[in-house]
Amino acid sequence: MKLYTAHRAPYPRRVLMFIHEKGIEGIEYVNIDLMADDHRTPEFKRLNPFSRIPVLELDDGSALSEARAICSYLESTWPTLNLMGEDPREHAFIEMQDRRMDIYWMTPIIAWIRNALPGLGTLVGTQFLDYARNQHEVMLETARWLDALLARQPWICGERFTVADITAFCALEVARVMHFRPGEAGYPALQGWRDRMAARESARVG
């Protein structure tokens, strides 16, 4: 198998951390240079017509894209060291939190960065500063919710580390380019969780 990734990009990093946490070996990694438009070449578009990473090319030549779908495939193929739920109930609640981290946390952070970070227009096209401010507010609203949640429990889904923690961490780390630090912004529990996540070996991949 081949995983098409990009250095420190949040969505590929989710998959890389997931692979590392599960101890999966034997995957070939292919780095895609986003600034050089490697993801928009005809060759890459045959893997993913939407020109997005990550993409997992399976041994039969088929290509699986979308970070959550790739992680689900890997979880099913390597079920040990479970990160997505041991039974239907736990699986559903972990998926709920992971989707919340994707939709209400990762998505507004990425939109904020794409529309506000100076110099990114070359990659994303037109930037909309009003939309960036709106998405920043959405992100802060989720940060308040996360801080309250993590003041009550050690991990996003409760007492154990799951895929939802990976998703949330990758989103928070990319927000550092906008100089967002939870502790400085008044979210001490979120900062404590971030520091525990950053101490994990998997946080050094990607």
Side-chain angles (χ1 to χ4, degrees):
M1 291 189 295
K2 293 181 183 178
L3 181 69
Y4 294 82
T5 181
H7 183 65
R8 290 299 175 186
Y11 290 100
R13 193 180 186 190
R14 287 170 65 181
V15 178
L16 291 168
M17 286 186 69
F18 190 86
I19 289 169
H20 191 88
E21 289 285 347
K22 291 182 72 67
I24 299 170
E25 299 179 347
I27 297 176
E28 179 184 347
Y29 298 103
V30 180
N31 189 66
I32 297 296
D33 187 343
L34 300 178
M35 299 306 292
D37 279 348
D38 286 355
H39 57 306
R40 296 193 173 103
T41 64
E43 293 77 17
F44 189 83
K45 280 180 175 289
R46 281 194 283 271
L47 296 171
N48 185 353
F50 296 99
S51 298
R52 302 299 175 94
I53 54 171
V55 174
L56 182 67
E57 186 177 5
L58 306 183
D59 292 335
D60 64 3
S62 57
L64 183 63
S65 60
E66 308 304 330
R68 173 68 195 213
I70 293 170
C71 290
S72 293
Y73 173 79
L74 296 173
E75 178 88 342
S76 297
T77 307
W78 285 272
T80 55
L81 231 135
N82 177 279
L83 295 175
M84 289 187 170
E86 298 280 2
D87 57 54
R89 186 183 189 281
E90 187 187 31
H91 177 84
F93 276 90
I94 290 173
E95 182 171 351
M96 175 184 72
Q97 293 292 63
D98 191 41
R99 285 179 64 82
R100 285 173 171 174
M101 294 304 93
D102 200 347
I103 297 168
Y104 308 124
W105 184 234
M106 177 82 82
T107 297
I109 287 174
I110 296 297
W112 173 38
I113 293 169
R114 285 172 66 90
N115 286 281
L117 185 65
L120 205 59
T122 303
L123 179 64
V124 305
T126 304
Q127 294 178 295
F128 301 93
L129 294 180
D130 286 345
Y131 184 60
R133 285 188 285 269
N134 170 268
Q135 292 301 287
H136 181 229
E137 288 302 315
V138 173
M139 183 272 286
L140 291 178
E141 184 177 345
T142 304
R144 287 189 287 272
W145 176 80
L146 272 172
D147 190 63
L149 179 76
L150 293 166
R152 302 192 302 269
Q153 60 193 47
W155 304 106
I156 287 172
C157 291
E159 296 302 313
R160 79 175 182 99
F161 174 88
T162 70
V163 65
D165 294 288
I166 293 174
T167 302
F169 177 73
C170 291
L172 181 56
E173 288 302 280
V174 77
R176 293 171 72 85
V177 303
M178 302 298 285
H179 307 291
F180 178 74
R181 306 291 189 275
E184 296 173 6
Y187 308 113
L190 182 57
Q191 182 68 56
W193 167 86
R194 181 266 164 197
D195 293 343
R196 292 195 304 276
M197 286 292 301
R200 299 179 76 91
E201 188 175 329
S202 65
R204 294 191 285 275
V205 304

